[in-house]
């Protein structure tokens, strides 16, 4: 179940530790969505990026579930 949230990091800590010197290397998808959606007011673009992130998480969850079903007796569905 935790594989579905592998791309969701604790963006609050990353956002609080960002400064102009480390902005290029510390930008992750969650902080990018925050910046584009709330600071730049590009709501549709931020929603599309967030939806893409959720779709990747769902695909990862389904793939790991298929692998778990083949290797063992238990799976989610």
């Amino acid at each position: 179940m935790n594989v579905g949230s592998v791309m969701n990091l604790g963006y609050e800590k990353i956002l609080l530790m960002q400064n102009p010197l480390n902005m290029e290397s510390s930008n992750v998808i969650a902080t990018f969505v925050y910046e584009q959606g709330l600071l730049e007011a590009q709501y549709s673009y931020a929603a599309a990026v967030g939806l893409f992130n959720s779709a990747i998480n769902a695909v990862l969850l389904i793939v790991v579930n298929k692998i778990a079903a083949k290797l063992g007796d238990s799976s989610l569905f």
Side-chain angles (χ1 to χ4, degrees), residues 54-74:
S54 297
I56 296 295
N57 285 337
V59 168
L60 285 173
L61 181 65
I62 291 169
V63 168
V64 169
N65 184 46
K66 295 289 183 185
I67 293 170
K70 288 184 180 183
L71 294 178
D73 293 333
S74 64

Side-chain angles (χ1 to χ4, degrees), residues 35-47:
E35 290 171 2
Q36 294 298 314
L38 294 178
L39 301 180
E40 300 291 328
Q42 294 182 348
Y43 306 116
S44 59
Y45 182 61

Side-chain angles (χ1 to χ4, degrees), residues 24-35:
E24 291 180 11
S25 61
S26 67
N27 206 9
V28 295
I29 293 176
T31 58
F32 179 76
V33 168
Y34 169 76
E35 290 171 2

Side-chain angles (χ1 to χ4, degrees), residues 4-19:
S5 63
V6 72
M7 292 181 61
N8 294 335
L9 301 172
Y11 76 95
E12 297 91 1
K13 294 176 186 176
I14 296 170
L15 187 66
L16 291 173
M17 296 294 288
Q18 279 183 342
N19 59 36

